[in-house]
Structure formats: C-alpha cells, structure tokens
Amino acid sequence: MITIEKRKIEVSIPEFKEEVRELCRLIKRNSKNTIGINEKTLNSHFKTKLTTTDFYILTEQLEYRLYSTSKGKYWSLEYILKEDKA
C-alpha cells in the first residue's frame, strides 16, 4: 500500500517496482540519451496524475535515490536497473 497525500493507492510495492524496472528497460532500449524518469514519465506510462510531491513520497516509499539536474529531479535508469545485474 502506498499513501500519497491523504490518498491511498493500493499497489504491491514489489509489483510496482517490477513495473518501473520494465519501464526503465523499455526506455533504455528505445532512447539511448535518457538518463532517468520522473513523475511526468510515470504519469504518461501508468496513466496517473502524480504531482511532484507525490513523486517525492514514492521515492521515499520505494527507497529509490533521487538525482537532480537543472531540469528537475529524477530516478536514474542505471540505479533502478542495477538490480537486474545482481
């Protein structure tokens, strides 16, 4: 169960993590220049309406590292996909 700003999204965290990994694999395969994903990527792929705050809360609950550039904060494809190499 993931709680986002007084809303509850019923989702299994391990299943969601696997969905995010699959999304990262697709992005890496099709877009060599992309280094990470953010809430816009998740909204587009999962048809959700996450805000930036929601994305930060997800970051904490999924225990992902948050990276930052001048264009915003994101989850690194390499960080998420490192579990595939283990």
Side-chain angles (χ1 to χ4, degrees):
M1 174 85 65
I2 296 176
T3 303
I4 297 177
E5 289 191 352
K6 300 179 186 174
R7 295 178 285 143
K8 292 197 186 307
I9 298 173
E10 292 194 30
V11 65
S12 160
I13 289 179
E15 287 176 17
F16 186 71
K17 277 188 163 186
E18 184 53 42
E19 290 280 335
V20 170
R21 265 197 303 277
E22 185 58 36
L23 172 61
C24 290
R25 285 184 208 114
L26 287 170
I27 291 170
K28 190 160 178 97
R29 200 175 1 209
N30 296 313
S31 178
K32 302 290 183 201
N33 296 331
T34 302
I35 60 171
I37 60 174
N38 59 18
E39 74 276 1
K40 292 175 187 163
T41 313
L42 296 176
N43 285 337
S44 175
H45 183 76
F46 294 111
K47 308 298 184 237
T48 56
K49 295 180 181 177
L50 299 173
T51 64
T52 302
T53 303
D54 297 340
F55 182 67
Y56 295 157
I57 292 168
L58 273 175
T59 298
E60 291 173 10
Q61 294 191 5
L62 295 172
E63 300 175 350
Y64 283 150
R65 185 170 172 192
L66 200 58
Y67 294 84
S68 181
T69 64
S70 60
K71 294 182 179 180
K73 298 194 186 299
Y74 65 94
W75 298 336
S76 164
L77 295 179
E78 291 299 322
Y79 178 82
I80 292 171
L81 294 175
K82 75 176 182 173
E83 295 176 17
D84 288 350
K85 297 174 185 171

